[in-house]
Amino acid sequence: MGNALRLENITMQFGGVVSVNNLTLDVEEHKITALIGPNGAGKTTAFNCITGVYQPTNGQIEFMGQPIVRNHPTGKAAKTYKGENADKYAKDAVLSPTPDQITGLGIARTFQNIRLWKSMTVFDNVLIAKHQHAKQNVFSAIFRGNMAEEKRMREETMELLKEQGLDAYKDELAVSLPYGLQRRLEIARALATNPKLLLLDEPAAGMNPQETIELAEFVRQIRDKYDLTVFLIEHHMDLVMNISDYIYVIDFGSEIAQGVPKEVQQNQRVIEAYLGVTEEEG
Ligand SMILES: Nc1ncnc2c1ncn2[C@@H]1O[C@H](COP(=O)(O)OP(=O)(O)OP(=O)(O)O)[C@@H](O)[C@H]1O
Ligand SMILES: [Mg+2]
């Protein structure tokens, strides 16, 4: 199988600060790949470059073999650029999609700090994501008399909620859910856009140990059921080592190691930069 996602020479510089430094990585189709590294390593910034939240300063991102993001430093950014490969993409067209366009291509994500529509019900959080994906607002389906489509979306929403064990909470406000279930709801909402690639930014953050174990199993289940590729950021080392087919480790924006869990676990640079710190923190 090919790569669902490829980052090539991605550098993200904010003013004088290089947050992601010449990062190249491949996320193989249908695999679960992890991006790990200490706090501030640049993991979320890398996700933001993939999802159109930030335009990287340099580099190219391919999705299913097609370039979707591309940039090179120009103007002021060229003068202050501290990264590598500044000329590599200068001949090619700049590609700078919006987050909505990225979602439309089949890339969905969850956020490190949960972003739900807090004052809406659990059901509506997922239904509205479906509506947004269908490029129509909440009312248009009804006004157009397109009841069949509306009915289908409602059924699919219930299906997603059941799968997450959230059906009993469907009429509750999103904000009233315990933290672990809010994380689940965010995944349901991401799945509502029918992604091929699912990016999870610390999906186990705030979960208790039992919820974390269940999450690992659940991520595998949805990967198989929806034929997804999964790329996740996570600090829980047990979860990462248990769930990942392949792991990239970054520190200060740069890759320091990559490999299967066993290789990464035994890598001296990783132990020094990351695993040791996590153990101390418990
Ligand atoms: N919009 C921004 N402007 C300036 N600096 C930023 C911006 N976004 C991120 N950074 C910086 O980039 C660096 C990497 O941050 P990032 O959030 O990607 O780290 P992370 O690996 O996700 O860390 P954590 O594990 O704590 O979530 C940090 O130094 C951060 O301050
Ligand atoms: Mg982060």
Side-chain angles (χ1 to χ4, degrees):
M1 264 195 219
N3 293 323
L5 183 74
R6 174 174 172 77
L7 269 60
E8 202 181 85
N9 305 117
I10 288 294
T11 294
M12 181 76 237
Q13 190 171 327
F14 296 102
V17 179
V18 179
S19 295
V20 176
N21 188 9
N22 202 35
L23 186 64
T24 295
L25 59 80
D26 292 301
V27 174
E28 210 179 316
E29 228 177 307
H30 203 64
K31 293 278 164 68
I32 298 176
T33 303
L35 179 63
I36 68 171
N39 291 119
K43 305 179 296 294
T44 298
T45 304
F47 270 26
N48 285 336
C49 290
I50 298 164
T51 52
V53 176
Y54 297 148
Q55 181 185 34
T57 316
N58 191 56
Q60 176 169 292
I61 299 173
E62 290 172 15
F63 177 57
M64 299 295 180
Q66 300 293 320
I68 57 167
V69 170
R70 191 192 289 129
N71 201 20
H72 61 274
T74 53
K76 190 165 170 268
K79 289 199 192 86
T80 56
Y81 188 61
K82 294 180 185 171
E84 295 157 64
N85 292 304
D87 299 327
K88 189 166 174 184
Y89 304 97
K91 306 182 296 302
D92 302 314
V94 169
L95 302 173
S96 186
T98 63
D100 279 350
Q101 288 169 331
I102 292 291
T103 309
L105 288 172
I107 302 176
R109 78 178 285 186
T110 63
F111 292 87
Q112 184 168 353
N113 305 308
I114 298 177
R115 292 190 191 172
L116 291 167
W117 292 299
K118 292 194 168 66
S119 59
M120 284 187 191
T121 65
V122 167
F123 185 85
D124 284 348
N125 262 273
V126 178
L127 182 64
I128 287 168
K130 276 203 168 289
H131 277 292
Q132 283 182 335
H133 188 60
K135 298 262 183 297
Q136 50 182 313
N137 70 41
V138 189
F139 304 104
S140 70
I142 298 165
F143 287 148
R144 280 180 16 232
N146 194 349
M147 294 307 280
E149 192 180 0
E150 180 65 19
K151 185 160 173 280
R152 179 183 55 77
M153 285 192 195
R154 288 180 170 270
E155 282 165 4
E156 287 172 1
T157 296
M158 253 344 266
E159 175 91 357
L160 282 169
L161 291 179
K162 273 197 194 122
E163 184 179 87
Q164 304 275 358
L166 287 170
D167 45 332
Y169 303 89
K170 75 180 179 61
D171 297 322
E172 310 269 323
L173 293 184
V175 71
S176 72
L177 291 181
Y179 207 70
L181 291 181
Q182 288 192 26
R183 289 245 169 244
R184 287 290 188 98
L185 177 56
E186 229 200 346
I187 294 176
R189 202 177 54 176
L191 291 174
T193 65
N194 296 329
K196 297 188 195 76
L197 172 65
L198 181 61
L199 307 179
L200 302 172
D201 194 345
E202 299 199 27
M207 284 190 174
N208 64 40
Q210 184 55 35
E211 288 172 328
T212 306
I213 292 166
E214 288 167 11
L215 179 73
E217 191 44 43
F218 170 73
V219 170
R220 280 200 201 91
Q221 278 170 17
I222 57 170
R223 187 267 308 266
D224 293 336
K225 180 170 178 186
Y226 297 100
D227 195 20
L228 291 174
T229 303
V230 177
F231 189 26
L232 84 158
I233 296 171
E234 194 37 74
H235 277 295
H236 283 67
M237 277 310 118
D238 291 350
L239 177 62
V240 169
M241 296 303 163
N242 166 331
I243 201 177
S244 308
D245 296 303
Y246 203 78
I247 301 173
Y248 287 92
V249 191
I250 62 173
D251 196 9
F252 298 106
S254 301
E255 184 198 310
I256 59 167
Q258 60 171 286
V260 297
K262 241 199 178 99
E263 292 168 332
V264 164
Q265 242 167 342
Q266 293 164 356
N267 183 297
Q268 200 54 38
R269 280 187 79 184
V270 177
I271 293 165
E272 281 165 22
Y274 190 75
L275 295 177
V277 176
T278 313
E279 265 162 32
E280 277 165 34
E281 287 176 350

